[in-house]
Amino acid sequence: MKTSNWKVWLLCAALLQALAAAPCAAHSGSVSWKKWTFDWRVANSAGIALRSLRYNGILVMHEGSLPVIRVKYDGCTPPCGPYRDMITWDKLVEISNCGGVKVCTREFSALGKQWLEIGVYARIGKYHLYQGWYLSEDGVINPFLFSKGLHHDFNHIHHAYWRFDFDLNGLASDRIFESNDGQAMTEYTVERNALKETATNRAWYVVDNDKTFGNAVWISPRMPNDGASNSFSTKDAAGRLYHDSEHEPWPFPVFDHLGYDNSESIQKTDVVFWYVSHLFHDHADSGSQWHVTGPILSLWNYPP
């Protein structure tokens, strides 16, 4: 799915409108909305995670989460970071325009369709972070991170690491493909790291075993505010084999990026797809402007 820039900004504007939702006070819960059902939880230092996400009764993800946001300032040496931010329950604040709750859900209209939002608002130092999931009635998943605030008066980048543990159709036998210009499909047969490529509209395709007919999800960059990797955050995407021991709070030191790369096979097995957004923040706005990033996940070959 490709979304024009004006539609991206229209959607972002809609998401930043005042929230009006039913309250949720626990650290976990369940939601059923139109064709979507899922559990949510705030745990494991990974923000608000969606678990057992199903569309029209068919499993899409075992869990999607945001384990870390790595922040690097430009031209400012320590003590100006870098930072390794993780959204935990104790960092959440009550959302005043959502009934004073810490987990906000609401339904709204944008781009001619209905959406469900579930999100949390965290304060980490001087940063304001709103992490949300936006599900459309027709099978689009938008994981968003909104950020504003400055620790230091320098430009910086928030590198957001999204973890998607797909279990398409409930089977641990998925495959990852890389797509260029929507056609040149290259399978990732072993654990692998990848970069975005705007010239070829690179995207990724995770499918239930069969490349052509299985239930699938497209993962696409959200241009123009998706950013690019650099020497501090060297990856844009990665395929990994699922291990219980690797489903944990972010274990890597502040200067280290994503690990878990053991060259293991990821063909027709339980795969984890990592996606990294690189959110640039210009210090000229004095930290008062919200910035937003996150990939686009589009279901394919799921029953309408």
Side-chain angles (χ1 to χ4, degrees):
M1 170 177 288
K2 295 183 175 64
T3 306
S4 62
N5 288 345
W6 73 266
K7 288 185 177 180
V8 169
W9 293 116
L10 179 62
L11 177 57
C12 291
L15 301 182
L16 284 171
Q17 291 177 351
L19 305 178
C24 303
H27 291 59
S28 62
S30 299
V31 173
S32 178
W33 178 79
K34 296 189 182 295
K35 297 176 182 178
W36 294 100
T37 61
F38 60 88
D39 300 326
W40 64 265
R41 71 173 185 175
V42 180
N44 229 21
S45 301
I48 182 166
L50 301 191
R51 296 169 57 83
S52 299
L53 179 66
R54 295 175 182 272
Y55 184 77
N56 212 6
I58 301 176
L59 190 63
V60 178
M61 275 195 296
H62 173 67
E63 182 175 275
S65 60
L66 181 63
V68 73
I69 307 158
R70 301 175 64 226
V71 186
K72 180 70 165 59
Y73 279 80
D74 182 19
C76 181
T77 57
C80 297
Y83 301 106
R84 189 184 65 158
D85 295 335
M86 290 173 277
I87 297 175
T88 57
W89 184 264
D90 64 296
K91 293 182 173 65
L92 301 186
V93 298
E94 295 177 350
I95 303 171
S96 60
N97 52 1
C98 192
V101 299
K102 289 188 175 182
V103 177
C104 187
T105 58
R106 68 167 185 139
E107 183 178 0
F108 65 97
S109 298
L111 305 180
K113 62 181 73 175
Q114 290 296 108
W115 296 80
L116 178 73
E117 170 190 11
I118 180 166
V120 294
Y121 184 13
R123 291 295 309 274
I124 301 178
K126 295 183 179 180
Y127 295 138
H128 298 251
L129 302 171
Y130 186 81
Q131 182 214 344
W133 295 85
Y134 300 85
L135 310 177
S136 78
E137 58 186 333
D138 60 351
V140 175
I141 306 167
N142 284 325
F144 271 124
L145 175 68
F146 294 87
S147 175
K148 70 175 183 177
L150 288 172
H151 274 314
H152 312 283
D153 196 18
F154 291 85
N155 293 345
H156 60 280
I157 300 177
H158 297 259
H159 304 276
Y161 287 66
W162 306 92
R163 180 183 184 275
F164 304 118
D165 177 10
F166 292 109
D167 281 341
L168 300 171
N169 201 24
L171 302 174
S173 59
D174 299 329
R175 303 163 74 183
I176 299 173
F177 291 83
E178 177 187 295
S179 167
N180 290 279
D181 288 328
Q183 52 189 355
M185 304 287 280
T186 302
E187 185 171 6
Y188 290 1
T189 58
V190 296
E191 292 181 322
R192 177 173 172 176
N193 305 314
L195 298 175
K196 304 183 185 91
E197 180 52 73
T198 56
T200 62
N201 298 308
R202 180 169 294 165
W204 291 269
Y205 179 77
V206 181
V207 62
D208 171 23
N209 195 352
D210 185 274
K211 175 181 174 182
T212 305
F213 300 109
N215 304 118
V217 177
W218 281 96
I219 303 102
S220 306
R222 182 178 300 280
M223 297 304 182
N225 53 341
D226 196 80
S229 57
N230 57 26
S231 60
F232 177 73
S233 181
T234 60
K235 301 174 178 67
D236 292 325
R240 297 290 188 265
L241 179 66
Y242 176 86
H243 290 286
D244 285 337
S245 61
E246 295 175 1
H247 186 200
E248 59 183 346
W250 185 261
F252 307 108
V254 67
F255 278 100
D256 289 357
H257 39 79
L258 177 65
Y260 304 134
D261 187 355
N262 304 305
S263 298
E264 295 176 289
S265 172
I266 52 173
Q267 280 187 301
K268 300 183 181 181
T269 186
D270 193 351
V271 302
V272 175
F273 188 86
W274 288 83
Y275 186 91
V276 188
S277 298
H278 312 277
L279 179 60
F280 176 75
H281 188 169
D282 190 333
H283 75 103
D285 69 6
S286 301
S288 61
Q289 180 177 331
W290 284 102
H291 303 260
V292 60
T293 194
I296 303 170
L297 278 59
S298 304
L299 302 190
W300 187 86
N301 208 31
Y302 274 73

